[in-house]
Amino acid sequence: MIKVLLLIVALAAAMLLGPIFVNNPGYIKIIVAGYVVEMTVLGFIIALVILSLGFWILGIIIRKLFRVKYVSFNFFRWRRQRKAQQAYELGLQAFAKQQWPQAAEWLNKASADSFMQTEKHLLAAYAEFYSGNQTQADEHVEALTAEDNNKRFVQADLLLRQNEPAKACAVLNDHVNADTTDKGLGQLYIYALQQAGQWQTLLQLVPAAIKHKWFDNQQWQQLRFAIYPIALSQLSQGIGFDEEAAYWQALPSKERKSTAAALGKAWALAKSGQTEAAEKVLASHLTLEQLPSALPYLKQIPLGTSVLKLRKQAQCWLRDNESNGYIYALLAHLAEQEGEQAHAAVAWQKALQYEPSLG
């Protein structure tokens, strides 16, 4: 809109001043070192326009030839900017090759120039961290704008990489909520809460994660199994897991009825000694399609000898899927629960035969 208004103003000025300059051309005479330049005022204006256009085109050519973002006619400033850009390019190359000390060295030099300074500090922080220079990494983090999500992300991420999930959560607690649309920040907070074992806070964030699509569908399907079984089994300790709790009822129905959630409920029941009820929950929710994701958590549920329903279900699946290694792995676990070590060994051998990755 502003460009259109400026164009209209320029055209109006040309229409108004054009006839004046044509009828009153004026006269300009410049004498320099014996050379005389004479022209009309209109000619002088046209010459200035052509000269400005020439400098503009020259600037474009220089940017293309020397790959610089903008041109400064201050030689020393231009040279400093050019060296900083070269350092940035070399730093990126070293970073991509995971040559951390070299990347840190070049990125530190590149940070002296203001162009893309946020990106330079971010990359330099990681390069210094992987080089073992925590103090220098912190300096680059502090150089970032306080209100910038990038600063919070790299602070929390570096803390996670130092196995300090509780501190990472503290960095993000006040900045990630139900309205957060920054996927990277949301994902990082979920991972931090998961590693810190702050399960109730994590479950309270699940609706926001789903609403704002912090994870794609495939990621979330896998993450369910990393969250619900452990979360519900941990929350069940002490006073026990309460399905009527506000944080649980706030979850979408699809989440509360998922196989991953059923694993968590069964785990909580089994830990309280209700193994038959736990098996009933598993038998009614476990599907062959989700068995590969569920198996690592299922094997941690102390069912004891309450495995008859699950054994029948597994044998039923096996009739139509006799080369499915995960079914044999489930049968091996169930046999172990009943103390049938010989049967467990045979089933486990079959599992490895059909699914070597289980080993």
Side-chain angles (χ1 to χ4, degrees), residues 184-195:
L185 209 63
Q187 288 178 2
L188 189 67
Y189 193 33
I190 292 289
Y191 294 140
L193 291 169
Q194 182 184 359
Q195 292 180 40

Side-chain angles (χ1 to χ4, degrees), residues 72-84:
S72 170
F73 291 99
N74 182 318
F75 173 76
F76 295 104
R77 181 183 175 189
W78 178 85
R79 186 170 180 273
R80 185 170 61 251
Q81 291 167 347
R82 177 62 181 157
K83 289 180 69 175

Side-chain angles (χ1 to χ4, degrees), residues 248-306:
W248 184 250
Q249 289 299 316
L251 295 180
S253 175
K254 181 179 180 180
E255 300 300 310
R256 289 183 278 118
K257 295 178 180 179
S258 67
T259 300
L263 282 168
K265 293 175 185 176
W267 199 344
L269 288 169
K271 287 170 70 174
S272 67
Q274 303 177 62
T275 54
E276 291 184 6
E279 185 197 16
K280 184 177 179 180
V281 170
L282 290 173
S284 61
H285 287 84
L286 194 62
T287 65
L288 179 58
E289 181 184 7
Q290 294 186 311
L291 181 58
S293 298
L295 188 60
Y297 305 99
L298 180 61
K299 290 169 71 173
Q300 298 180 62
I301 300 176
L303 291 172
T305 57
S306 299

Side-chain angles (χ1 to χ4, degrees), residues 28-308:
I28 293 177
K29 183 176 182 179
I30 302 174
I31 303 174
V32 178
Y35 292 95
V36 179
V37 179
E38 299 182 66
M39 64 182 72
T40 63
V41 173
L42 182 59
F44 180 70
I45 293 173
I46 293 173
L48 284 177
V49 171
I50 293 173
L51 188 62
S52 300
L53 184 61
F55 277 115
W56 180 68
I57 294 173
L58 179 63
I60 292 176
I61 293 172
I62 291 174
R63 288 200 298 271
K64 296 294 184 182
L65 288 177
F66 297 97
R67 292 184 298 172
V68 295
K69 296 299 179 182
Y70 54 89
V71 177
S72 170
F73 291 99
N74 182 318
F75 173 76
F76 295 104
R77 181 183 175 189
W78 178 85
R79 186 170 180 273
R80 185 170 61 251
Q81 291 167 347
R82 177 62 181 157
K83 289 180 69 175
Q85 185 172 333
Q86 289 176 332
Y88 188 37
E89 292 170 358
L90 292 170
L92 287 177
Q93 293 169 16
F95 194 97
K97 296 173 184 175
Q98 299 184 12
Q99 297 172 341
W100 306 122
Q102 294 91 327
E105 179 182 354
W106 287 116
L107 290 168
N108 282 328
K109 292 180 180 179
S111 299
D113 182 59
S114 60
F115 174 68
M116 295 187 72
Q117 201 163 55
T118 296
E119 290 74 11
K120 292 172 182 175
H121 284 304
L122 279 172
L123 294 172
Y126 282 104
E128 292 286 14
F129 174 78
Y130 287 122
S131 297
N133 304 323
Q134 185 61 51
T135 302
Q136 289 86 336
D138 291 339
E139 288 175 358
H140 283 288
V141 173
E142 289 304 317
L144 297 168
T145 307
E147 294 76 19
D148 190 351
N149 279 349
N150 288 316
K151 181 171 185 175
R152 300 177 189 119
F153 181 94
V154 71
Q155 277 182 314
D157 191 30
L158 292 182
L159 286 167
L160 277 180
R161 293 171 192 271
Q162 296 172 74
N163 198 28
E164 296 281 1
K167 292 182 180 179
C169 291
V171 171
L172 299 174
N173 280 340
D174 296 330
H175 304 291
V176 183
N177 50 50
D179 298 322
T180 299
T181 57
D182 187 322
K183 293 183 180 181
L185 209 63
Q187 288 178 2
L188 189 67
Y189 193 33
I190 292 289
Y191 294 140
L193 291 169
Q194 182 184 359
Q195 292 180 40
Q198 298 182 20
W199 299 111
Q200 184 170 329
T201 304
L202 194 160
L203 292 177
Q204 289 170 338
L205 276 176
V206 166
I210 295 172
K211 177 182 177 181
H212 298 298
K213 297 182 179 180
W214 292 352
F215 303 88
D216 62 33
N217 290 336
Q218 186 175 0
Q219 288 175 319
W220 187 248
Q221 287 175 9
Q222 293 299 317
L223 196 58
R224 277 197 190 110
F225 289 96
I227 292 176
Y228 295 130
I230 299 177
L232 300 192
S233 67
Q234 293 294 319
L235 289 170
S236 68
Q237 295 179 1
I239 61 173
F241 168 66
D242 182 8
E243 287 195 54
E244 299 304 318
Y247 65 83
W248 184 250
Q249 289 299 316
L251 295 180
S253 175
K254 181 179 180 180
E255 300 300 310
R256 289 183 278 118
K257 295 178 180 179
S258 67
T259 300
L263 282 168
K265 293 175 185 176
W267 199 344
L269 288 169
K271 287 170 70 174
S272 67
Q274 303 177 62
T275 54
E276 291 184 6
E279 185 197 16
K280 184 177 179 180
V281 170
L282 290 173
S284 61
H285 287 84
L286 194 62
T287 65
L288 179 58
E289 181 184 7
Q290 294 186 311
L291 181 58
S293 298
L295 188 60
Y297 305 99
L298 180 61
K299 290 169 71 173
Q300 298 180 62
I301 300 176
L303 291 172
T305 57
S306 299
V307 295
L308 181 60

